[in-house]
Amino acid sequence: MNIDKIIDILIGNNDDKKTENFLRFLSDKLWNLYNDYLMDKIKMAESEIVWNLNMPNAKENQEYEVTVNMPVLTSDKLVGIDIVLVNVSGLDKDIHGLSIITAEDKKSFTISGCPSLEYFRKDGATAQSTFDLIIRYQFDGADMPDEHPILERKIPFVINQDPRKLWKDLPVNWENMPDPKYQNDDTQVEYVKVETLADGTPQKDIVAASKRGRSHAQEAKPRDDHFKMTHMDNGWYIMAVADGAGSAKLSREGSRIACEESVNYCIVQLNDNKKFEEAISKYNEQKDDGESEARKQVGDYMYKIVGAAAFKAHRAINAEAATANNQPKQYATTLLLTISKKFPFGWFLASFWVGDGAICLYDRQAHTAKILGKPDEGEYAGQTRFLTMPEIFKDTTSLYKRLRFSIVDDFTALFMMTDGVSDPKFETEANLNNPDKWDTLWNDLRENGVELTDDNEASKEQLLNWLDFWSPGNHDDRTIAILYEGEETAPKCEEVTKQISEEISDTSETEIVSSDKVDVESQME
């Protein structure tokens, strides 16, 4: 049958107008059927797509880059058909910090940038983390239905929030705080500049910073840490760091009293104490000759100055508790206390330590780290001893075990810190004794903006900023104090620093007092 016969059968004897309408109807009908056919084929193709795009979650404030390939159709029924990208949207550089670029061959796209969710935190709102990535595509190698030339697929894309952004920084509601309020600031910083000697010899300076922990800020609680430090005209340095117990509601005042009272007492005792300095010099001269008597004499002065300073702080806390009609344990606090001075023969350092945290004499060149005491560890994790506990001062034996002194040629830094710093940076007591860990801390400070150089007043703010470091699971108050000589002017010593450190042991205590059970209070009066 030829084409003319077919046309004659279709048209018949109808007039041209009717024939035209018929052909139009037939054409529309056939095209609709064809589009339905194409749509069925597209649906079949879509059902074959496995949307496993292998897109890892992004992490806020961490660089991200991933190239995503479009799925490949493998069915025999769809041979020759490929998925071709039209565009991909859902992420914006100005909003999410991420850009999307489609490859020239339209078969892949790349997401890159540094993710941020700050845009979604406006007015204190909680940022969302999941966004719809809209993939618009076509099939290459197959006709597309007129009504659906471009297809869409929504794929969830996740930006994991920076854990630091999940913490709230709520102010303390001092107005509604019950009395006694003991109001303090969320931060504390100080820099003690010690002038260069007349001959141009630089002196060690002190810098310290304390910052309310994230766990406290999250619950609108006050900072419980405190520090106090000074340099006296006669050359003595005095430093104290204290960590109020989180379980004691008035510990912020306990830590303040501990630092203020102990340092002030040492100032008075060291203001004119030539006999103590003479005892130190004598000990240094005899230290290689079985100097038990000279060592005992230094120990006696330590007991009467450093030990008594801690005891005075203990009594001051008890007095405040009585005045406020509270229990002393509500003021529970640790205390780290040091005194130090440079003599012609080297540095003398003495310390008292109750509680956790760390005191370390660090020498970078000699690669040594001397811990001036021993952290108190309770039976369970997180337990420690506090200055307010009566057993700390129950007898001279208990007190002497907490006293240390050392004579060294020189040192890079004397570190004092609460466990808000020592726990995340050292994790274990063994690590506290590892010089490599202190090297890491020293480098950490320098690499993160703390310039421990001579006469750098800005170092106190730099150190405060450094205390904001992130450590998962460690969000307590943080306090650190550093006695140091600026790196730019620090003298270089070719010899390994000689360190002589003495712990007054149980046997030496009996040489200092007639009985190891003598009442401490009677000794201090």
Side-chain angles (χ1 to χ4, degrees):
M1 183 181 294
N2 58 32
I3 189 64
D4 292 335
K5 182 68 173 177
I6 294 172
I7 292 173
D8 184 58
I9 292 172
L10 287 172
I11 297 175
N13 296 321
N14 294 303
D15 57 38
D16 290 345
K17 184 63 176 176
K18 193 172 184 179
T19 299
E20 180 180 348
N21 290 336
F22 170 73
L23 290 175
R24 289 184 182 279
F25 166 78
L26 184 60
S27 174
D28 289 342
K29 194 72 172 177
L30 290 174
W31 276 114
N32 287 337
L33 289 172
Y34 182 60
N35 278 325
D36 288 343
Y37 163 76
L38 291 178
M39 182 57 75
D40 288 342
K41 191 170 184 179
I42 293 304
K43 288 180 178 178
M44 182 178 68
E46 283 194 292
S47 69
E48 295 288 331
I49 300 175
V50 179
W51 291 97
N52 184 11
L53 299 184
N54 194 27
M55 261 189 316
N57 293 349
K59 295 180 180 179
E60 189 176 12
N61 298 325
Q62 294 186 22
E63 288 295 329
Y64 181 86
E65 182 170 343
V66 63
T67 296
V68 181
N69 295 310
M70 285 296 94
V72 177
L73 299 173
T74 58
S75 172
D76 293 339
K77 299 177 181 179
L78 302 173
V79 173
I81 298 178
D82 292 322
I83 298 174
V84 176
L85 286 170
V86 175
N87 59 51
V88 183
S89 61
L91 298 174
D92 185 276
K93 181 74 171 179
D94 295 331
I95 296 176
H96 307 87
L98 295 169
S99 300
I100 304 174
I101 299 176
T102 302
E104 291 184 6
D105 64 2
K106 304 295 183 182
K107 293 184 178 180
S108 67
F109 63 91
T110 298
I111 302 174
S112 63
C114 187
S116 173
L117 297 173
E118 285 303 313
Y119 178 88
F120 303 95
R121 295 192 178 98
K122 293 180 179 179
D123 301 322
T126 301
Q128 66 186 90
S129 293
T130 303
F131 305 90
D132 284 333
L133 205 61
I134 302 173
I135 300 174
R136 305 177 76 234
Y137 62 98
Q138 293 177 319
F139 287 114
D140 184 27
D143 290 335
M144 300 295 289
D146 293 338
E147 295 181 1
H148 301 282
I150 298 175
L151 304 170
E152 279 189 4
R153 184 79 179 190
K154 290 184 179 180
I155 303 293
F157 182 81
V158 177
I159 300 177
N160 291 330
Q161 297 196 48
D162 185 338
R164 286 168 285 193
K165 302 295 184 178
L166 298 175
W167 291 91
K168 297 178 182 178
D169 189 8
L170 301 177
V172 180
N173 188 350
W174 292 109
E175 184 176 347
N176 294 323
M177 182 80 72
D179 290 325
K181 299 183 187 298
Y182 300 129
Q183 186 167 346
N184 65 359
D185 296 325
D186 292 344
T187 62
Q188 180 189 4
V189 295
E190 188 175 355
Y191 178 81
V192 176
K193 172 181 166 57
V194 182
E195 297 293 340
T196 300
L197 297 180
D199 62 3
T201 302
Q203 302 298 293
K204 285 178 168 53
D205 297 333
I206 323 175
V207 63
S210 180
K211 185 179 182 66
R212 183 172 68 149
R214 293 185 181 91
S215 59
H216 287 212
Q218 175 81 6
E219 300 178 10
K221 292 182 178 180
R223 175 175 58 93
D224 292 331
D225 282 8
H226 195 79
F227 70 78
K228 185 176 177 65
M229 57 194 194
T230 190
H231 175 262
M232 300 176 64
D233 291 340
N234 60 9
W236 281 101
Y237 293 85
I238 310 169
M239 301 164 63
V241 167
D243 177 4
S247 59
K249 65 179 182 179
L250 302 176
S251 65
R252 61 187 177 279
E253 181 65 3
S255 66
R256 189 197 69 80
I257 292 174
C259 292
E260 297 291 329
E261 290 291 330
S262 62
V263 170
N264 289 339
Y265 183 81
C266 287
I267 290 174
V268 173
Q269 296 301 309
L270 295 173
N271 187 47
D272 185 16
N273 204 323
K274 293 182 179 179
K275 290 184 178 180
F276 178 35
E277 296 186 11
E278 290 172 358
I280 294 171
S281 298
K282 183 178 180 180
Y283 166 75
N284 180 70
E285 293 171 359
Q286 300 180 8
K287 62 181 181 291
D288 296 326
D289 303 324
E291 35 43 73
S292 60
E293 181 58 34
R295 178 168 60 84
K296 176 183 178 300
Q297 194 171 21
V298 173
D300 287 344
Y301 278 108
M302 281 182 55
Y303 181 86
K304 294 176 182 178
I305 298 174
V306 182
F311 181 66
K312 296 294 184 182
H314 168 85
R315 289 189 63 182
I317 292 174
N318 286 344
E320 174 59 29
T323 300
N325 197 27
N326 290 312
Q327 294 295 318
K329 65 181 181 181
Q330 294 180 345
Y331 297 79
T333 180
T334 67
L335 177 62
L336 309 181
L337 174 65
T338 64
I339 61 172
S340 56
K341 181 177 180 177
K342 185 176 182 180
F343 290 81
F345 51 81
W347 281 84
F348 173 84
L349 303 100
S351 63
F352 170 86
W353 184 334
V354 61
D356 44 27
I359 309 175
C360 179
L361 194 59
Y362 168 65
D363 192 313
R364 184 172 180 79
Q365 278 198 312
H367 193 56
T368 58
K370 177 68 177 179
I371 303 302
L372 303 183
K374 182 177 176 60
D376 283 303
E377 295 181 352
E379 182 179 355
Y380 304 101
Q383 284 189 330
T384 189
R385 299 291 184 186
F386 297 108
L387 186 70
T388 46
M389 293 178 172
E391 59 264 33
I392 302 300
F393 302 97
K394 66 180 180 180
D395 52 54
T396 55
T397 300
S398 301
L399 180 55
Y400 266 110
K401 286 181 178 180
R402 298 183 178 279
L403 298 172
R404 301 285 192 279
F405 72 87
S406 300
I407 292 180
V408 299
D409 291 342
D410 202 356
F411 57 92
T412 302
L414 172 62
F415 284 102
M416 300 176 66
M417 62 189 69
T418 61
D419 66 339
V421 178
S422 62
D423 280 359
K425 293 301 181 182
F426 295 92
E427 297 180 337
T428 67
E429 186 176 343
N431 284 339
L432 284 176
N433 292 279
N434 184 348
D436 291 340
K437 292 293 185 178
W438 291 95
D439 286 342
T440 299
L441 176 64
W442 185 258
N443 293 333
D444 183 358
L445 288 163
R446 296 195 305 172
E447 292 167 4
N448 288 282
V450 183
E451 299 174 7
L452 296 175
T453 54
D454 195 34
D455 298 341
N456 180 23
E457 181 81 20
S459 63
K460 64 184 181 183
E461 296 297 338
Q462 295 168 352
L463 191 59
L464 181 65
N465 292 335
W466 177 83
L467 286 176
D468 200 38
F469 64 81
W470 178 254
S471 176
N474 294 289
H475 307 296
D476 196 6
D477 292 343
R478 293 172 176 171
T479 301
I480 184 171
I482 311 171
L483 170 61
Y484 73 98
E485 187 169 333
E487 288 187 299
E488 294 178 349
T489 55
K492 293 185 177 181
C493 179
E494 299 299 328
E495 297 181 1
V496 174
T497 300
K498 181 181 179 183
Q499 297 198 17
I500 304 169
S501 203
E502 294 290 335
E503 175 181 350
I504 304 175
S505 64
D506 290 347
T507 56
S508 65
E509 289 161 16
T510 58
E511 298 174 348
I512 298 172
V513 293
S514 58
S515 170
D516 64 357
K517 296 299 181 182
V518 171
D519 178 67
V520 171
E521 185 164 355
S522 66
Q523 292 285 320
M524 299 301 180
E525 294 298 339

